[in-house]
Amino acid sequence: RSGAIVVAKPKAAPKLADEREDFDWTGDGRPFRLAHGRAARVCYDAASQRKERVRLALAQLRGQEEMKFGVNEEDTRRYGHEVVRHIGPYTPYGGLSERGRSHRAALPEVRPRFRDIVVRRLAENVSLLAACSEGGGGLRMASLGSGELLFELELVERLRARTGMWIERICLIDRAYRQPHVNTRRALREFADWQRCAAQLVGHEPAEVLAFGSLMDFFKAAER
């Protein structure tokens, strides 16, 4: 899962007229489902400690604080294989996960190493990216085989921290998004909510989060 990350050329573009916070799960989801997220849902159950928990989660995603992962036996029974999630009190992204042969419980170095390569290459070329985005556009990116988005969440936040660029649009592509089950819906919602929350913390506009059920749908939307 999450085997391909494509960084599209940033360019100025008019905002979509649809400013919805949540994904619309009706219909066939073609060519995509769109959401901007709702920041107020992030760590809402932490009550008076919400701001502290949000900032801790931000620091964990950016590698400034330790981020712990674990395998839940209930997940293993439900899915028939190991599912890795972030663990900790009031985690704002407990619905996000990794699975497959390369998840970090099985091969701890694989995904972090790939993440660091992507972030380093973009950070080294941030001036070029900024030049490409003259006119007000931000960074647009796409992930193929996104699954339940734990890797993508971490990658996007580190890109935001290292480059300082506005993340304008995130395209997530997976067959599971065509008619997503309840766990996948939760992962998509938590991902979109975090994007809006993180953008607010750094004074950016929220990213458009687009969920595609197939690569062909993504290609057709990109042609418009």
Side-chain angles (χ1 to χ4, degrees), residues 20-61:
R20 74 182 64 193
E21 295 179 336
D22 292 316
F23 293 99
D24 181 358
W25 302 119
T26 63
D28 63 5
R30 304 188 74 175
F32 55 79
R33 305 181 192 274
L34 164 71
H36 291 83
R38 186 184 302 171
R41 281 191 295 236
V42 176
C43 293
Y44 73 93
D45 54 350
S48 62
Q49 294 184 316
R50 179 174 182 268
K51 288 185 179 180
E52 177 185 343
R53 296 292 182 181
V54 168
R55 296 196 178 278
L56 174 60
L58 182 71
Q60 289 176 329
L61 287 172

Side-chain angles (χ1 to χ4, degrees), residues 5-134:
I5 299 290
V6 180
V7 179
K9 177 183 177 181
K11 58 182 179 181
K15 283 185 173 294
L16 296 179
D18 192 340
E19 292 289 343
R20 74 182 64 193
E21 295 179 336
D22 292 316
F23 293 99
D24 181 358
W25 302 119
T26 63
D28 63 5
R30 304 188 74 175
F32 55 79
R33 305 181 192 274
L34 164 71
H36 291 83
R38 186 184 302 171
R41 281 191 295 236
V42 176
C43 293
Y44 73 93
D45 54 350
S48 62
Q49 294 184 316
R50 179 174 182 268
K51 288 185 179 180
E52 177 185 343
R53 296 292 182 181
V54 168
R55 296 196 178 278
L56 174 60
L58 182 71
Q60 289 176 329
L61 287 172
R62 292 183 170 188
Q64 298 161 351
E65 294 284 349
E66 182 183 7
M67 189 170 179
K68 296 182 179 180
F69 301 92
V71 175
N72 186 295
E73 292 184 4
E74 182 179 343
D75 279 336
T76 303
R77 289 194 299 269
R78 178 185 303 159
Y79 295 108
H81 53 258
E82 291 185 337
V83 177
V84 175
R85 299 187 189 275
H86 174 252
I87 55 176
Y90 305 110
T91 174
Y93 27 80
L96 280 65
S97 71
E98 290 179 355
R99 62 188 75 188
R101 296 180 180 178
S102 65
H103 70 66
R104 66 189 75 201
L107 297 172
E109 300 300 323
V110 173
R111 297 193 189 208
R113 187 179 300 160
F114 177 48
R115 174 204 66 208
D116 292 346
I117 289 173
V118 174
V119 173
R120 184 173 65 252
R121 292 290 176 85
L122 286 178
E124 290 170 353
N125 293 281
V126 68
S127 59
L128 176 61
L129 291 170
C132 291
S133 64
E134 288 183 358

Side-chain angles (χ1 to χ4, degrees), residues 113-166:
R113 187 179 300 160
F114 177 48
R115 174 204 66 208
D116 292 346
I117 289 173
V118 174
V119 173
R120 184 173 65 252
R121 292 290 176 85
L122 286 178
E124 290 170 353
N125 293 281
V126 68
S127 59
L128 176 61
L129 291 170
C132 291
S133 64
E134 288 183 358
L139 185 67
R140 298 180 176 189
M141 57 184 297
S143 174
L144 176 61
S146 311
E148 291 186 355
L149 299 164
L150 182 57
F151 175 80
E152 282 73 13
L153 187 77
E154 193 177 11
L155 175 66
V156 171
E157 199 50 55
R158 296 209 181 196
L159 284 173
R160 194 184 340 255
R162 287 287 301 276
T163 68
M165 293 191 69
W166 167 40

